Amino acid sequence: AAARVLPPLPDAVVSPCSEAECLALCRAAAKLGVGLVPLGGGTSVTLATRTPGKLERPVVSVSTRKLAGLLWVDRGNLLASVQSGCTGRELERLLGEAGGEAG
């Protein structure tokens, strides 16, 4: 059987718990020349875990799964702000608890 060739994978995965940790991570990555690939809710809908083709520097996947909160709801304008780790299912639940709904 033919050998299976895997796509480039990140060198590490990190999971910040706050905006401050994200900022510190970005600053450290910039200083060290490390590429960051964001990963939201982890559902693979956007194929975010894929890294760029040929890697010439270390790449770290940044899971924002722990950042999944509903920040605010503006019912008058039908707007909400949600952190990037929130899945669609969680969004529906959070909006329901706030008296709203998505789409």
Side-chain angles (χ1 to χ4, degrees), residues 67-81:
L67 303 170
L70 176 63
L71 301 176
W72 53 261
V73 175
D74 178 346
R75 291 184 191 185
N77 290 304
L78 301 176
L79 297 172
S81 179

PDB file of all heavy atoms in Angstrom, residues 67-81:
ATOM      1  N   LEU A  67     -12.227  30.582  24.969  1.00  0.00           N
ATOM      2  CA  LEU A  67     -12.771  31.938  24.821  1.00  0.00           C
ATOM      3  C   LEU A  67     -14.068  31.822  24.027  1.00  0.00           C
ATOM      4  O   LEU A  67     -14.105  32.046  22.827  1.00  0.00           O
ATOM      5  CB  LEU A  67     -11.769  32.837  24.103  1.00  0.00           C
ATOM      6  CG  LEU A  67     -10.392  32.941  24.777  1.00  0.00           C
ATOM      7  CD1 LEU A  67      -9.406  33.635  23.872  1.00  0.00           C
ATOM      8  CD2 LEU A  67     -10.500  33.648  26.110  1.00  0.00           C
ATOM      9  N   ALA A  68     -15.132  31.441  24.699  1.00  0.00           N
ATOM     10  CA  ALA A  68     -16.387  31.115  24.000  1.00  0.00           C
ATOM     11  C   ALA A  68     -17.590  31.829  24.595  1.00  0.00           C
ATOM     12  O   ALA A  68     -18.701  31.336  24.526  1.00  0.00           O
ATOM     13  CB  ALA A  68     -16.606  29.603  24.016  1.00  0.00           C
ATOM     14  N   GLY A  69     -17.379  32.984  25.156  1.00  0.00           N
ATOM     15  CA  GLY A  69     -18.475  33.679  25.816  1.00  0.00           C
ATOM     16  C   GLY A  69     -19.234  34.650  24.932  1.00  0.00           C
ATOM     17  O   GLY A  69     -18.765  35.088  23.891  1.00  0.00           O
ATOM     18  N   LEU A  70     -20.416  34.972  25.373  1.00  0.00           N
ATOM     19  CA  LEU A  70     -21.242  36.016  24.762  1.00  0.00           C
ATOM     20  C   LEU A  70     -20.878  37.311  25.476  1.00  0.00           C
ATOM     21  O   LEU A  70     -21.056  37.426  26.689  1.00  0.00           O
ATOM     22  CB  LEU A  70     -22.729  35.685  24.942  1.00  0.00           C
ATOM     23  CG  LEU A  70     -23.738  36.704  24.453  1.00  0.00           C
ATOM     24  CD1 LEU A  70     -23.635  36.908  22.951  1.00  0.00           C
ATOM     25  CD2 LEU A  70     -25.149  36.258  24.832  1.00  0.00           C
ATOM     26  N   LEU A  71     -20.342  38.280  24.745  1.00  0.00           N
ATOM     27  CA  LEU A  71     -19.860  39.509  25.365  1.00  0.00           C
ATOM     28  C   LEU A  71     -20.976  40.529  25.579  1.00  0.00           C
ATOM     29  O   LEU A  71     -21.044  41.160  26.619  1.00  0.00           O
ATOM     30  CB  LEU A  71     -18.744  40.114  24.524  1.00  0.00           C
ATOM     31  CG  LEU A  71     -17.525  39.201  24.325  1.00  0.00           C
ATOM     32  CD1 LEU A  71     -16.520  39.849  23.396  1.00  0.00           C
ATOM     33  CD2 LEU A  71     -16.891  38.856  25.658  1.00  0.00           C
ATOM     34  N   TRP A  72     -21.816  40.714  24.567  1.00  0.00           N
ATOM     35  CA  TRP A  72     -22.942  41.638  24.697  1.00  0.00           C
ATOM     36  C   TRP A  72     -23.984  41.366  23.630  1.00  0.00           C
ATOM     37  O   TRP A  72     -23.696  40.749  22.603  1.00  0.00           O
ATOM     38  CB  TRP A  72     -22.505  43.099  24.653  1.00  0.00           C
ATOM     39  CG  TRP A  72     -21.654  43.498  23.475  1.00  0.00           C
ATOM     40  CD1 TRP A  72     -20.289  43.624  23.468  1.00  0.00           C
ATOM     41  CD2 TRP A  72     -22.085  43.829  22.145  1.00  0.00           C
ATOM     42  NE1 TRP A  72     -19.851  43.990  22.217  1.00  0.00           N
ATOM     43  CE2 TRP A  72     -20.942  44.137  21.381  1.00  0.00           C
ATOM     44  CE3 TRP A  72     -23.319  43.883  21.515  1.00  0.00           C
ATOM     45  CZ2 TRP A  72     -20.993  44.497  20.043  1.00  0.00           C
ATOM     46  CZ3 TRP A  72     -23.367  44.250  20.172  1.00  0.00           C
ATOM     47  CH2 TRP A  72     -22.226  44.549  19.459  1.00  0.00           C
ATOM     48  N   VAL A  73     -25.203  41.825  23.907  1.00  0.00           N
ATOM     49  CA  VAL A  73     -26.318  41.711  22.961  1.00  0.00           C
ATOM     50  C   VAL A  73     -26.959  43.088  22.835  1.00  0.00           C
ATOM     51  O   VAL A  73     -27.223  43.743  23.847  1.00  0.00           O
ATOM     52  CB  VAL A  73     -27.376  40.691  23.444  1.00  0.00           C
ATOM     53  CG1 VAL A  73     -28.578  40.665  22.521  1.00  0.00           C
ATOM     54  CG2 VAL A  73     -26.763  39.303  23.559  1.00  0.00           C
ATOM     55  N   ASP A  74     -27.187  43.535  21.612  1.00  0.00           N
ATOM     56  CA  ASP A  74     -27.894  44.785  21.319  1.00  0.00           C
ATOM     57  C   ASP A  74     -29.185  44.396  20.620  1.00  0.00           C
ATOM     58  O   ASP A  74     -29.221  44.212  19.406  1.00  0.00           O
ATOM     59  CB  ASP A  74     -27.024  45.680  20.440  1.00  0.00           C
ATOM     60  CG  ASP A  74     -27.686  46.990  20.047  1.00  0.00           C
ATOM     61  OD1 ASP A  74     -28.921  47.126  20.215  1.00  0.00           O
ATOM     62  OD2 ASP A  74     -26.970  47.871  19.549  1.00  0.00           O
ATOM     63  N   ARG A  75     -30.232  44.220  21.388  1.00  0.00           N
ATOM     64  CA  ARG A  75     -31.510  43.759  20.828  1.00  0.00           C
ATOM     65  C   ARG A  75     -32.101  44.745  19.840  1.00  0.00           C
ATOM     66  O   ARG A  75     -32.715  44.360  18.856  1.00  0.00           O
ATOM     67  CB  ARG A  75     -32.509  43.477  21.948  1.00  0.00           C
ATOM     68  CG  ARG A  75     -32.126  42.285  22.775  1.00  0.00           C
ATOM     69  CD  ARG A  75     -33.170  41.980  23.800  1.00  0.00           C
ATOM     70  NE  ARG A  75     -32.637  40.999  24.738  1.00  0.00           N
ATOM     71  CZ  ARG A  75     -33.333  40.476  25.685  1.00  0.00           C
ATOM     72  NH1 ARG A  75     -34.586  40.813  25.863  1.00  0.00           N
ATOM     73  NH2 ARG A  75     -32.785  39.596  26.485  1.00  0.00           N
ATOM     74  N   GLY A  76     -31.924  46.041  20.081  1.00  0.00           N
ATOM     75  CA  GLY A  76     -32.474  47.056  19.191  1.00  0.00           C
ATOM     76  C   GLY A  76     -31.933  46.969  17.779  1.00  0.00           C
ATOM     77  O   GLY A  76     -32.650  47.202  16.801  1.00  0.00           O
ATOM     78  N   ASN A  77     -30.656  46.609  17.644  1.00  0.00           N
ATOM     79  CA  ASN A  77     -30.020  46.500  16.331  1.00  0.00           C
ATOM     80  C   ASN A  77     -29.786  45.049  15.913  1.00  0.00           C
ATOM     81  O   ASN A  77     -29.147  44.800  14.891  1.00  0.00           O
ATOM     82  CB  ASN A  77     -28.690  47.260  16.328  1.00  0.00           C
ATOM     83  CG  ASN A  77     -28.893  48.750  16.385  1.00  0.00           C
ATOM     84  OD1 ASN A  77     -29.589  49.314  15.543  1.00  0.00           O
ATOM     85  ND2 ASN A  77     -28.316  49.398  17.387  1.00  0.00           N
ATOM     86  N   LEU A  78     -30.287  44.109  16.714  1.00  0.00           N
ATOM     87  CA  LEU A  78     -30.135  42.680  16.440  1.00  0.00           C
ATOM     88  C   LEU A  78     -28.667  42.287  16.235  1.00  0.00           C
ATOM     89  O   LEU A  78     -28.307  41.594  15.290  1.00  0.00           O
ATOM     90  CB  LEU A  78     -30.979  42.268  15.227  1.00  0.00           C
ATOM     91  CG  LEU A  78     -32.476  42.526  15.340  1.00  0.00           C
ATOM     92  CD1 LEU A  78     -33.173  42.158  14.034  1.00  0.00           C
ATOM     93  CD2 LEU A  78     -33.079  41.757  16.509  1.00  0.00           C
ATOM     94  N   LEU A  79     -27.824  42.736  17.171  1.00  0.00           N
ATOM     95  CA  LEU A  79     -26.401  42.446  17.108  1.00  0.00           C
ATOM     96  C   LEU A  79     -25.954  41.762  18.387  1.00  0.00           C
ATOM     97  O   LEU A  79     -26.546  41.963  19.455  1.00  0.00           O
ATOM     98  CB  LEU A  79     -25.600  43.739  16.955  1.00  0.00           C
ATOM     99  CG  LEU A  79     -25.831  44.556  15.692  1.00  0.00           C
ATOM    100  CD1 LEU A  79     -25.102  45.890  15.804  1.00  0.00           C
ATOM    101  CD2 LEU A  79     -25.340  43.789  14.475  1.00  0.00           C
ATOM    102  N   ALA A  80     -24.911  40.971  18.265  1.00  0.00           N
ATOM    103  CA  ALA A  80     -24.293  40.354  19.434  1.00  0.00           C
ATOM    104  C   ALA A  80     -22.799  40.240  19.173  1.00  0.00           C
ATOM    105  O   ALA A  80     -22.362  40.115  18.023  1.00  0.00           O
ATOM    106  CB  ALA A  80     -24.889  38.975  19.699  1.00  0.00           C
ATOM    107  N   SER A  81     -22.015  40.269  20.224  1.00  0.00           N
ATOM    108  CA  SER A  81     -20.578  40.061  20.125  1.00  0.00           C
ATOM    109  C   SER A  81     -20.250  38.779  20.883  1.00  0.00           C
ATOM    110  O   SER A  81     -20.614  38.630  22.051  1.00  0.00           O
ATOM    111  CB  SER A  81     -19.825  41.245  20.724  1.00  0.00           C
ATOM    112  OG  SER A  81     -18.427  41.023  20.637  1.00  0.00           O
TER     113      SER A  81
END
